[in-house]
Amino acid sequence: MPHSLGILLSGRGSNFIAIADSIDAGRIPDARISAVITNKADAPGIATARQRGLNALAIPSKGKSREEHDREVVSALKKNDVDLVCLAGYMRLLSPWFVQQFPRRILNIHPSLLPAFPGLEAQEQAFAYGVKVSGCTVHFVDEELDHGPIIVQKTVAVLDSDDEHKLATRILEQEHLAYTEAINVVLAGKFRIVGRRLIVDEKS
Ligand code: GRF
């Protein structure tokens, strides 16, 4: 049975598209996307998922408590036998209950080198702070925001000629590569987590 990925998104969906392209091109072997779920019915990413013939589901969050919405999303993920959940621009905090439903099976991508600049507009935060290097992080999701063990990070130099947008564009290119790498690490399952450190087991 191929691994079954569930993607959660709220917006443009470029990370989702990068993952879908990687699967189609065989860069993520033995996996398929069995559900793409959005909390925003008008998210461009969900329209793309539909166009690609994927199982695209809108589960609006508006007017629902976090728990109520999370229960609907988890039930859709389970109904579709999802075994790895990938947050790809999903603008909702998951409840601890949600996180516990998929232990070490929820990934998130964040556009900074965590633990620097968690939260919203990380690229703008990094640019305004004046860092010379930024990047992106794919990490396991735990109960805290942008916090779980790190799987992959990629660095991006901040240039004197940059503005927030140019920097964000170069970070996004690296995000698309980082997510595929991280999914492959997790699906291969050949790693240990020691404290917060993910250590890939040596090849035998
Ligand atoms: C990305 O920058 C990602 O790191 C952050 O939200 C943005 C989503 O972009 N979590 P996209 O919808 O994948 O294009």
Side-chain angles (χ1 to χ4, degrees), residues 11-16 88-89 108-111 123 172 175:
R12 145 186 88 173
S14 73
N15 277 288
F16 146 61
N108 181 43
I109 186 149
H110 184 75
Q123 308 95 323
L172 192 62
E175 291 185 38

Side-chain angles (χ1 to χ4, degrees), residues 8 16 26 50 55 70 74 96 108 113-115 146 161 164 169 200:
L8 304 192
F16 146 61
R50 220 169 277 129
N55 178 24
D70 279 3
V74 166
N108 181 43
L113 294 175
L114 289 171
D146 298 331
S161 56
E164 297 92 326
T169 301
V200 176

Side-chain angles (χ1 to χ4, degrees), residues 184-196:
N184 277 324
V185 168
V186 174
L187 292 184
K190 293 180 180 141
F191 63 86
R192 289 165 290 141
I193 295 180
V194 181
R196 288 192 44 90

Side-chain angles (χ1 to χ4, degrees), residues 1-201:
M1 279 286 279
H3 293 285
S4 170
L5 271 53
I7 312 272
L8 304 192
L9 57 81
S10 305
R12 145 186 88 173
S14 73
N15 277 288
F16 146 61
I17 293 167
I19 294 167
D21 286 348
S22 283
I23 290 176
D24 290 351
R27 290 188 297 271
I28 302 176
D30 206 23
R32 66 192 185 96
I33 295 175
S34 38
V36 182
I37 300 176
T38 184
N39 64 316
K40 300 251 180 234
D42 58 354
I46 203 72
T48 309
R50 220 169 277 129
Q51 281 156 18
R52 291 180 78 125
L54 294 167
N55 178 24
L57 306 169
I59 305 181
S61 48
K62 208 165 175 206
K64 290 175 194 153
S65 71
R66 187 173 313 285
E67 281 67 23
E68 193 185 347
H69 183 252
D70 279 3
R71 279 182 194 282
E72 287 182 35
V73 174
V74 166
S75 125
L77 292 169
K78 292 200 165 165
K79 216 166 98 190
N80 287 285
D81 295 320
V82 165
D83 58 25
L84 184 68
V85 180
C86 298
L87 307 188
Y90 187 59
M91 304 304 283
R92 299 270 298 171
L93 260 180
L94 304 189
S95 61
W97 176 80
F98 189 142
V99 175
Q100 285 152 20
Q101 300 309 301
F102 294 92
R104 291 268 191 268
R105 299 306 273 181
I106 309 177
L107 313 187
N108 181 43
I109 186 149
H110 184 75
S112 74
L113 294 175
L114 289 171
F117 312 118
L120 292 174
E121 298 180 348
Q123 308 95 323
E124 288 81 352
Q125 290 186 55
F127 184 79
Y129 197 90
V131 296
K132 298 297 184 194
V133 180
S134 191
C136 62
T137 304
V138 184
H139 63 94
F140 286 110
V141 171
D142 66 9
E143 280 84 355
E144 290 176 52
L145 177 69
D146 298 331
H147 180 265
I150 291 168
I151 305 162
V152 169
Q153 287 189 308
K154 291 205 177 280
T155 57
V156 173
V158 183
L159 309 176
D160 289 345
S161 56
D162 265 341
D163 58 29
E164 297 92 326
H165 305 292
K166 287 185 193 164
L167 177 62
T169 301
R170 293 204 312 288
I171 292 175
L172 192 62
E173 287 168 13
Q174 295 305 309
E175 291 185 38
H176 297 161
L177 302 175
Y179 223 148
T180 290
E181 262 181 47
I183 290 171
N184 277 324
V185 168
V186 174
L187 292 184
K190 293 180 180 141
F191 63 86
R192 289 165 290 141
I193 295 180
V194 181
R196 288 192 44 90
R197 302 185 62 223
L198 180 143
I199 299 168
V200 176
D201 295 328

